[in-house]
Amino acid sequence: MDRIERVLVITAHPDDSEFGAAGTVAKLVRDGCEVTYVIVTNGSKGSSDRWMTSERLIRIREEEQRNAARTLGVERVQFLGYEDGEVEDTRDLRRDVSREIRRWRPDLVICQSPNRSYNLGASHRDHRTVGGVVLDCVYPLARDHLAFPELLPDYEPHKVREIYVMQWENPQLVVDISDVMDIKIKALACHASQFRDFAGLETRVRERAAVLGKAKGHAYAEAFDHIEMQR
Ligand SMILES: [Zn+2]
């Protein structure tokens, strides 16, 4: 099979890709892949500090996300600036995501699950909406030249080869992240505005990664569904 060279991780909020895929991203970077992050929302709602303003929080979370990306060796981070908590599946969002796929021309796209589960944090409304939009953009919107004619001639159609969909229940793909688990924790720690008790969070993240790895005999894992596109 052809080598994966370019990877695009598209998520709803700053910190989503660290929770779901930081270990996998660190391994892809180590293997020589060029990884780009696209963050759809501005993260303006994620604070329990009653003195925090959305304006200040947006700046803090952008900085935190850039630091986390740097920790993992991610090449660049793009923010689409949609309102946190209010993402809808609109033509504008589908065009913007299609444009980023055409711009960065990834072999592999990593995204969130479009499905509701009773893990309310993981299946946050924005995650489901963005996950569904990303899949719609991989096929057919980024691929077809007649979709979003306004993107031409700057953004030529692009065919993505594979998709990893972040997934915890009966995943198709379990990635061994044992030797990069410490980097994942370091990247997560960059999102300081999101955690009051990072030690407690680290314990929970390690426990979950251990559960995911158990069936395959890995100390720690991340898990995905795996879609391979027809050529
Ligand atoms: Zn999120």
Side-chain angles (χ1 to χ4, degrees):
M1 195 154 71
D2 293 342
R3 233 180 71 78
I4 300 288
E5 290 180 356
R6 285 180 307 278
V7 180
L8 190 59
V9 186
I10 309 173
T11 54
H13 309 115
D15 83 11
D16 288 343
S17 48
E18 278 67 46
F19 273 111
T24 304
V25 165
K27 283 183 77 172
L28 288 163
V29 168
R30 196 176 61 189
D31 291 346
C33 296
E34 181 188 293
V35 182
T36 299
Y37 274 5
V38 169
I39 316 291
V40 169
T41 77
N42 55 20
S44 64
K45 304 291 196 297
S47 176
S48 55
D49 174 359
R50 297 295 292 264
W51 298 100
M52 179 60 79
T53 64
S54 280
E55 205 180 43
R56 200 148 63 83
L57 186 60
I58 290 168
R59 286 200 304 274
I60 291 170
R61 297 197 69 187
E62 273 200 20
E63 186 61 25
E64 289 174 347
Q65 182 61 83
R66 289 189 198 286
N67 289 338
R70 206 171 298 125
T71 301
L72 298 170
V74 170
E75 196 76 18
R76 59 185 75 80
V77 186
Q78 280 204 299
F79 297 91
L80 298 185
Y82 283 76
E83 193 59 33
D84 188 354
E86 298 183 20
V87 181
E88 298 291 344
D89 181 347
T90 60
R91 186 183 190 280
D92 277 357
L93 179 58
R94 295 191 298 275
R95 183 204 53 226
D96 287 353
V97 170
S98 296
R99 184 192 61 228
E100 297 313 314
I101 292 172
R102 291 181 183 198
R103 187 201 308 270
W104 300 113
R105 314 190 78 71
D107 305 306
L108 167 68
V109 164
I110 301 178
C111 67
Q112 292 168 293
S113 171
N115 298 328
R116 156 63 83 199
S117 76
Y118 295 138
N119 180 333
L120 300 193
S123 68
H124 184 293
R125 176 181 172 76
D126 289 348
H127 299 186
R128 286 159 17 226
T129 304
V130 170
V133 163
V134 171
L135 297 178
D136 286 334
C137 292
V138 167
Y139 176 87
L141 300 172
R143 191 202 67 164
D144 289 352
H145 73 282
L146 294 175
F148 304 121
E150 68 269 37
L151 292 179
L152 293 176
D154 294 338
Y155 303 99
E156 282 289 323
H158 176 69
K159 281 187 190 172
V160 173
R161 281 173 14 211
E162 296 183 45
I163 312 171
Y164 292 175
V165 182
M166 297 176 195
Q167 232 285 73
W168 295 269
E169 289 154 10
N170 305 312
Q172 296 167 346
L173 178 69
V174 175
V175 177
D176 180 2
I177 61 161
S178 307
D179 62 345
V180 288
M181 188 64 193
D182 291 345
I183 304 175
K184 177 182 172 101
I185 297 295
K186 217 173 142 193
L188 268 170
C190 293
H191 298 281
S193 72
Q194 301 303 295
F195 316 121
R196 277 198 191 151
D197 168 22
F198 189 75
L201 178 96
E202 176 175 348
T203 303
R204 290 197 300 282
V205 168
R206 284 186 185 274
E207 279 169 2
R208 192 167 65 184
V211 169
L212 289 173
K214 201 168 181 209
K216 301 271 183 192
H218 308 317
Y220 297 115
E222 286 169 347
F224 306 88
D225 277 343
H226 186 194
I227 305 171
E228 292 184 86
M229 304 298 291
Q230 304 271 343
R231 301 262 193 127

